[in-house]
Amino acid sequence: MAKLTVLYEHATGFTLFKVKEFEEIGSELSEVEKSVRDLQRFTKIIELLAFAPFKTSVDALESINSISEGVLPESLQIFLETNVPKVGKMSKVTLGVADGKLGASINEKLGLKIQHTGFVLEILRGIRYHFPSLMKGFAPKLEGIAQLGLGHSYSRAKVKFNVNKVDNMIIHSVSLLDQLDKDLNTYSMRIREWYSYHFPELYKIVPENYLYAKVVKYIGDRKQLTEEKMEGLEEIIMDAGKAAAILSAAKSSMGMDISPVDLTNVLMFTNRVVSLSEYRRSLSEYLKNKMGSVAPNMAALIGEQVGARLISKAGSLTNLAKCPASTVQILGAEKALFRAMKTKTSTPKYGLIYHSTFIGRAGRQFKGRASRFLSNKLSIASRIDAFSDNPCNIFGQKMKQQCEDRLKYFETGEKPPKNVDVMHDALQESLVLQQQNESLNTSVKRKKSKKEKKSKKNKVEEKENGE
């Protein structure tokens, strides 16, 4: 007859419960679901077998980290070896667990039969619900304190050891940048429509959104635009001809008059758009600096924004580095790929990398080959950025030149240099740069140590003179 023992991992320790009448319970899942809420009925189904509390909070955190990754902790292994009933000739022991990965690890190390589906999950739900009542001398307050403390420690450790935390800044920055582009485009169109009732001719003279908003902010009421304001207008537009055209159009404009209240609202909205545009520029500069420090080779090869979008789509730089070149090539075109597979048509040749200048400059018949070559180089660049100890943009610059040479080869047939030679040169240059950085760091450290020694001497002399 089969025997079922259920393992429950609590914030205070590991517990084993013996399930009574295993065969009967297995055939009636609905009965288990009904008895989960009723403590009296539930205690007839299960019985406490063993409990091993955690010695310290560090031990609890280490155990929960291992279990979350599907690894069997040493303390749990000893607990199971000691307390799980031995398998006899006439009986077989089945261990019920909540996590399938942990169950596979237990099966591999201890050879126990594992069950993690069906009524086992209902029994574990009942244990979780009635745990303070099932444990003698266990205070419900203690359970809450233990769960809260372990939860905070686990979350803190995950944030602290998150290898993607630098990538997260890039992902959020590029997402915000794309959102700002959409919003600014919508807001700029609203300003054009709103202000065009008063000064419709300005729309054609100043087509750029940011400049249009700045000009509207400077002019205000077109009737107040005089030759005295021409100097300031020229500084904004950086074009004397356009400034003169705006002045002449303002004098003979067919737009309607605008009240001071309406103009105030237009200018308030314009100020917001101008400030958002300036923030967008500073955010773009921040993203450029961040990509230069986190993924310099990708930034040098394909540009900061396209590289950041690839990292965002993959989830992290490490995830992107794990992707093969064929996946990098169509990253961002998943819908088109699945549509092509469903309708049995040609699959897409490129995804996000289409925004690169190399794909745009390639001829129509060479776009597929150019995207394949670029994705190969991107895959290499992402791996160098993700796993190198001293990242630099030398490899990215060399691979960018290789892409340029490949485009020339498509157009003229001129053979590019061999990849082995190019990578050898890049490696030599990176080693030289690394040596220079090390020598610079040592010289800086020496200067600091000298300054510290001088400051110590001065302090000692001041003390002696004071005495």
Side-chain angles (χ1 to χ4, degrees):
M1 184 179 175
K3 292 181 179 179
L4 177 65
T5 306
V6 177
L7 171 68
Y8 177 63
E9 309 95 21
H10 192 260
T12 55
F14 299 116
T15 52
L16 279 174
F17 289 90
K18 181 184 175 182
V19 181
K20 304 170 186 176
E21 302 173 358
F22 172 37
E23 297 292 342
E24 294 177 13
I25 290 169
S27 60
E28 297 179 3
L29 180 60
S30 59
E31 291 296 322
V32 179
E33 290 176 355
K34 289 177 184 177
S35 63
V36 162
R37 291 280 179 179
D38 190 356
L39 180 60
Q40 289 183 353
R41 292 177 66 183
F42 191 67
T43 49
K44 292 177 182 178
I45 297 173
I46 64 162
E47 181 186 347
L48 180 63
L49 197 64
F51 174 64
F54 294 124
K55 295 177 182 178
T56 60
S57 59
V58 177
D59 184 29
L61 181 60
E62 288 175 359
S63 299
I64 203 70
N65 279 330
S66 300
I67 289 168
S68 66
E69 293 169 5
V71 179
L72 178 64
E74 189 179 349
S75 57
L76 180 57
Q77 184 177 346
I78 295 166
F79 175 68
L80 291 174
E81 286 174 347
T82 308
N83 296 289
V84 171
K86 303 295 180 184
V87 179
K89 292 181 180 179
M90 300 300 293
S91 64
K92 294 180 181 178
V93 176
T94 303
L95 184 67
V97 294
D99 186 16
K101 290 181 181 179
L102 178 62
S105 183
I106 292 169
N107 178 259
E108 185 182 346
K109 292 203 174 179
L110 301 178
L112 293 170
K113 187 181 176 183
I114 302 298
Q115 188 167 344
H116 61 90
T117 55
F119 67 93
V120 171
L121 297 177
E122 291 297 325
I123 290 171
L124 284 167
R125 187 162 69 92
I127 292 169
R128 193 182 304 112
Y129 187 72
H130 299 293
F131 188 78
S133 303
L134 294 170
M135 305 292 292
K136 291 181 181 179
F138 191 85
K141 264 189 178 181
L142 181 65
E143 182 187 25
I145 293 166
Q147 287 176 344
L148 189 65
L150 183 59
H152 283 177
S153 301
Y154 180 74
S155 302
R156 199 180 301 115
K158 280 293 179 186
V159 172
K160 187 177 179 181
F161 296 109
N162 184 8
V163 295
N164 305 323
K165 60 185 175 183
V166 181
D167 304 349
N168 290 340
M169 301 302 161
I170 291 172
I171 291 167
H172 289 297
S173 297
V174 75
S175 300
L176 180 58
L177 203 63
D178 292 338
Q179 188 65 46
L180 280 174
D181 286 336
K182 291 178 184 177
D183 293 344
L184 282 170
N185 188 40
T186 306
Y187 296 156
S188 299
M189 290 304 296
R190 180 62 56 200
I191 290 173
R192 287 177 185 275
E193 289 177 9
W194 203 352
Y195 194 69
S196 289
Y197 288 111
H198 176 62
F199 193 1
E201 293 82 8
L202 186 64
Y203 183 85
K204 291 183 179 179
I205 301 170
V206 186
E208 296 88 359
N209 290 334
Y210 178 62
L211 279 180
Y212 185 88
K214 288 191 78 175
V215 169
V216 170
K217 181 182 175 182
Y218 182 75
I219 292 173
D221 191 350
R222 72 167 194 274
K223 291 181 179 179
Q224 294 178 2
L225 182 63
T226 57
E227 291 184 359
E228 295 174 358
K229 290 186 174 182
M230 282 293 290
E231 188 177 348
L233 193 60
E234 286 177 13
E235 287 179 5
I236 294 170
I237 301 175
M238 303 297 288
D239 189 344
K242 281 187 177 181
I246 291 169
L247 182 62
S248 63
K251 290 177 180 177
S252 60
S253 176
M254 58 180 289
M256 67 179 201
D257 293 337
I258 191 168
S259 66
V261 177
D262 295 335
L263 183 62
T264 302
N265 281 284
V266 173
L267 293 178
M268 281 174 65
F269 185 57
T270 305
N271 287 333
R272 292 292 180 91
V273 174
V274 169
S275 62
L276 266 179
S277 300
E278 289 169 355
Y279 171 66
R280 194 257 176 215
R281 287 186 176 185
S282 65
L283 184 65
S284 179
E285 192 65 28
Y286 165 76
L287 181 63
K288 183 179 178 181
N289 296 333
K290 206 72 178 171
M291 280 293 291
S293 60
V294 176
N297 291 293
M298 282 187 66
L301 174 59
I302 202 171
E304 291 82 11
Q305 289 194 23
V306 181
R309 287 192 182 100
L310 286 169
I311 292 171
S312 177
K313 190 67 181 176
S316 70
L317 181 59
T318 308
N319 289 349
L320 184 64
K322 291 176 183 176
C323 292
S326 57
T327 304
V328 175
Q329 183 179 348
I330 58 169
L331 204 64
E334 289 81 8
K335 286 185 180 178
L337 175 65
F338 293 131
R339 193 189 307 119
M341 291 171 69
K342 188 177 180 180
T343 57
K344 295 182 181 179
T345 54
S346 58
T347 54
K349 296 175 184 176
Y350 29 70
L352 288 169
I353 61 171
Y354 178 76
H355 299 288
S356 169
T357 55
F358 299 116
I359 309 299
R361 283 186 289 141
R364 188 176 179 183
Q365 68 273 27
F366 300 124
K367 283 188 184 294
R369 293 170 68 183
S371 65
R372 194 156 51 248
F373 186 81
L374 179 60
S375 62
N376 288 334
K377 297 302 172 188
L378 268 172
S379 182
I380 296 167
S382 63
R383 288 165 192 174
I384 293 170
D385 289 332
F387 303 116
S388 64
D389 295 328
N390 300 303
C392 61
N393 63 353
I394 292 171
F395 286 95
Q397 289 173 356
K398 293 287 184 183
M399 284 187 277
K400 184 178 181 180
Q401 187 58 45
Q402 280 186 303
C403 291
E404 296 283 357
D405 295 339
R406 183 63 60 166
L407 287 178
K408 285 181 185 177
Y409 171 70
F410 290 150
E411 293 171 2
T412 62
E414 182 183 346
K415 287 188 177 181
K418 288 185 178 180
N419 185 56
V420 178
D421 299 333
V422 174
M423 290 295 107
H424 179 72
D425 294 342
L427 184 62
Q428 294 300 320
E429 287 182 24
S430 65
L431 290 172
V432 170
L433 183 64
Q434 186 178 343
Q435 289 174 358
Q436 289 176 355
N437 290 335
E438 286 176 358
S439 62
L440 186 65
N441 290 333
T442 52
S443 64
V444 169
K445 285 179 181 178
R446 284 175 185 172
K447 286 179 180 179
K448 282 184 178 179
S449 62
K450 285 180 180 179
K451 285 182 179 179
E452 287 174 359
K453 286 179 181 178
K454 283 183 179 179
S455 63
K456 284 180 181 179
K457 283 183 179 179
N458 292 332
K459 286 179 181 178
V460 171
E461 288 176 357
E462 285 176 1
K463 285 182 179 179
E464 288 176 353
N465 292 330
E467 291 173 355

